[in-house]
Amino acid sequence: MSPVNVNQALKTTLCFAIQDKIGALEDCLSAIKAMDISLTRIESRPSKTKDWDYDFFVDFDAEDAKQVSNVVEGLRKHTKDVRVIGSDNSVGDSVPWFPRKLTDLDTFAEKVLEMGEELSSDHPGANDPVYRARRAEITRIAKTYRTGQAVPEIEYTDEENETWGKVFRHLTSMYPTHACREHQYVLPLLIQNCGYNDQRIPQIEQISRFLKDCTGFTIRPVMGLLSSRDFLNSFAFRVFYSTQYIRHSSKPFYTPEPDVCHELLGHVPLFADPDFADFSQEIGLASLGASDEDISKLATIFWFTVEFGLCRQDGEIKAYGAGLLSSFGELEYALSDKPDLRPFDPSKTAVQKYPITEFQPVYFVAESFKDAQEKVRDFAANMNRPFSVRYNALTQTIEVLDNKEKVVRFAKSIRDDMKTLATVLESLS
């Protein structure tokens, strides 16, 4: 995660409710304006609570926690229902800011900890000016992307396609004996529908449309490494951030950081599986508004599952983590008798230390993706968060379940679904 910058503005969202009467909104906005606050967004929608008519969401960059508190107190003179979603837990009942709608993910576009064009001195392409320039070019393309746009197409060079081909052929030869059945089932579909082959790198836009049809997951390009919080938050919306650049051709079987081989061969196939998609989103939903401590635990759970997870299928251990499915050496090592294999238990997995520059000494084995999802959900229920959330797939927004009225509304939607289920079961009997 990114280090805290004490001089950085606090991105803050206030939610307040008003009754439909003349001057109600004007009074609230005047109270904010009087404190020399410039709003970056204001949004309204019908209230989901019975005592109010409209909910308003306003975004602004606060100077400090005291300024946020002053704004809240000013608003409470005009409405009692004021809630804070901020970036500083010291602000009353505030929790860390989190995206509430799909377009909020656009705020992550330039919030990268490490740019894709920035290479460490030991990177195979560090001393190759042509490679560095190419990475910078692809990074700039990713920077321009916004929600709703088609993912920009990259015209890969012959050298880049050749590197991809070497990786593709080597890894796909190992999948029949090492990869989980879900990965093996989806890969032929990607070959058939998304142009997966050993001749050229497939395009993310085509893959994203395929995933959308399968599970609702989509892919968006990223400039570089995101913070754990931002990266995990995106999974709540079934969005995966993917790089578009590829490893250096001098070492096609090695990369010190995620590249397009890791993303498209390791991650993508399983996002087309409904159970794995549900599991991944569960981690994302748990990360919304979580404390820094809980984000660290969730990121560790993500590391040992989505990145380096193993599962038990038909009495055998198979790999489903993208870090394994995109690494020849570690894929073979993980399924040998060398590492320590432990049952997946989020409370224990969350605090397990791990190396990032060598093979893992410990792996966690899931019984199934659904079982892992339920365990993560139980883990999240015990986190220090004053509310629960759900993803509304129809509006592509996050609903915060923090009062009785919202919970009752949610229960009614479940009841309607149960009626539909009962009707279907009756017709099949």
Side-chain angles (χ1 to χ4, degrees):
M1 294 183 62
S2 57
V4 176
N5 184 347
V6 297
N7 296 317
Q8 186 175 2
L10 304 179
K11 183 174 178 62
T12 304
T13 297
L14 295 182
C15 175
F16 60 89
I18 65 172
Q19 294 177 328
D20 188 12
K21 63 181 182 179
I22 297 176
L25 177 59
E26 183 179 352
D27 290 342
C28 291
L29 295 181
S30 295
I32 296 174
K33 184 177 180 181
M35 298 176 204
D36 196 27
I37 296 291
S38 295
L39 301 181
T40 57
R41 180 185 69 141
I42 180 169
E43 175 184 333
S44 66
R45 64 187 65 167
S47 181
K48 294 183 178 179
T49 58
K50 63 181 181 179
D51 297 327
W52 305 95
D53 294 312
Y54 296 98
D55 289 337
F56 282 85
F57 296 85
V58 295
D59 290 352
F60 64 94
D61 294 327
E63 296 177 355
D64 50 35
K66 182 178 180 181
Q67 187 179 48
V68 177
S69 297
N70 290 340
V71 174
V72 171
E73 291 305 313
L75 279 174
R76 282 182 175 152
K77 296 177 182 178
H78 305 282
T79 174
K80 294 181 180 179
D81 188 17
V82 182
R83 283 164 289 154
V84 182
I85 301 174
S87 54
D88 189 316
N89 285 340
S90 65
V91 185
D93 56 355
S94 170
V95 298
W97 181 90
F98 61 87
R100 300 285 292 271
K101 59 182 183 178
L102 194 59
T103 53
D104 286 344
L105 299 185
D106 291 340
T107 63
F108 301 163
E110 299 182 36
K111 289 172 57 181
V112 292
L113 304 182
E114 183 177 307
M115 297 283 286
E117 61 186 287
E118 296 172 355
L119 305 181
S120 59
S121 59
D122 59 346
H123 191 287
N127 298 317
D128 183 343
V130 175
Y131 179 76
R132 294 178 69 99
R134 177 62 168 160
R135 293 264 297 225
E137 176 189 1
I138 294 176
T139 296
R140 286 193 296 271
I141 293 173
K143 182 179 180 180
T144 65
Y145 178 83
R146 293 296 181 271
T147 298
Q149 298 176 347
V151 178
E153 184 171 316
I154 304 297
E155 294 186 11
Y156 291 104
T157 65
D158 291 342
E159 182 180 20
E160 290 168 334
N161 284 321
E162 184 179 350
T163 299
W164 161 270
K166 292 177 181 177
V167 177
F168 183 90
R169 288 188 292 273
H170 197 151
L171 283 175
T172 53
S173 70
M174 298 181 68
Y175 291 156
T177 53
H178 291 69
C180 65
R181 70 169 71 96
E182 292 82 358
H183 189 280
Q184 294 187 54
Y185 175 79
V186 173
L187 187 61
L189 299 178
L190 291 168
I191 293 173
Q192 179 181 354
N193 296 282
C194 301
Y196 271 53
N197 57 56
D198 63 354
Q199 299 301 306
R200 61 180 57 85
I201 303 172
Q203 295 293 329
I204 286 181
E205 174 61 22
Q206 186 176 3
I207 299 168
S208 185
R209 290 198 301 266
F210 172 78
L211 292 180
K212 179 74 172 178
D213 290 341
C214 292
T215 62
F217 251 90
T218 57
I219 306 177
R220 61 181 294 162
V222 66
M223 295 169 61
L225 182 65
L226 290 170
S227 72
S228 296
R229 182 181 297 279
D230 291 348
F231 183 69
L232 294 180
N233 280 181
S234 68
F235 279 88
F237 296 84
R238 297 197 172 216
V239 171
F240 174 63
Y241 279 93
S242 173
T243 56
Q244 290 180 284
Y245 44 77
I246 194 167
R247 61 196 65 184
H248 195 263
S249 60
S250 65
K251 291 188 176 182
F253 301 142
Y254 168 77
T255 178
E257 89 273 85
D259 72 335
V260 72
C261 297
H262 171 80
E263 319 285 35
L264 302 191
L265 292 173
H267 280 296
V268 161
L270 284 173
F271 289 137
D273 177 75
D275 288 347
F276 186 81
D278 290 345
F279 167 66
S280 301
Q281 186 179 32
E282 197 67 46
I283 297 177
L285 290 169
S287 74
L288 299 177
S291 66
D292 288 348
E293 179 182 359
D294 284 334
I295 285 292
S296 178
K297 291 180 178 179
L298 289 170
T300 302
I301 290 174
F302 185 93
W303 177 270
F304 281 113
T305 55
V306 180
E307 289 293 351
F308 291 95
L310 298 175
C311 60
R312 196 180 308 278
Q313 294 183 337
D314 300 326
E316 296 182 322
I317 302 297
K318 299 292 184 178
Y320 72 89
L324 299 175
L325 293 169
S326 60
S327 170
F328 326 103
E330 189 156 8
L331 181 56
E332 184 175 6
Y333 163 82
L335 270 61
S336 70
D337 58 359
K338 297 178 181 178
D340 178 11
L341 304 188
R342 302 176 185 177
F344 175 62
D345 178 348
S347 62
K348 297 179 180 179
T349 305
V351 295
Q352 176 65 42
K353 302 299 182 182
Y354 58 87
I356 60 175
T357 57
E358 57 189 62
F359 292 170
Q360 303 300 306
V362 176
Y363 297 97
F364 289 89
V365 182
E367 294 302 317
S368 70
F369 297 145
K370 273 302 178 187
D371 179 66
Q373 179 189 1
E374 290 301 321
K375 288 179 177 179
V376 169
R377 182 175 294 169
D378 292 341
F379 176 83
N382 294 312
M383 286 168 39
N384 184 25
R385 189 174 62 171
F387 54 81
S388 294
V389 297
R390 68 181 291 262
Y391 177 65
N392 187 323
L394 296 177
T395 60
Q396 296 183 303
T397 59
I398 299 298
E399 295 180 356
V400 179
L401 305 176
D402 58 356
N403 59 47
K404 180 179 178 181
E405 288 80 5
K406 292 182 180 179
V407 173
V408 169
R409 185 183 181 90
F410 180 34
K412 288 180 178 178
S413 69
I414 296 175
R415 183 185 63 187
D416 292 340
D417 288 341
M418 291 300 296
K419 288 181 179 178
T420 301
L421 177 62
T423 300
V424 173
L425 291 175
E426 184 176 347
S427 67
L428 293 176
S429 62

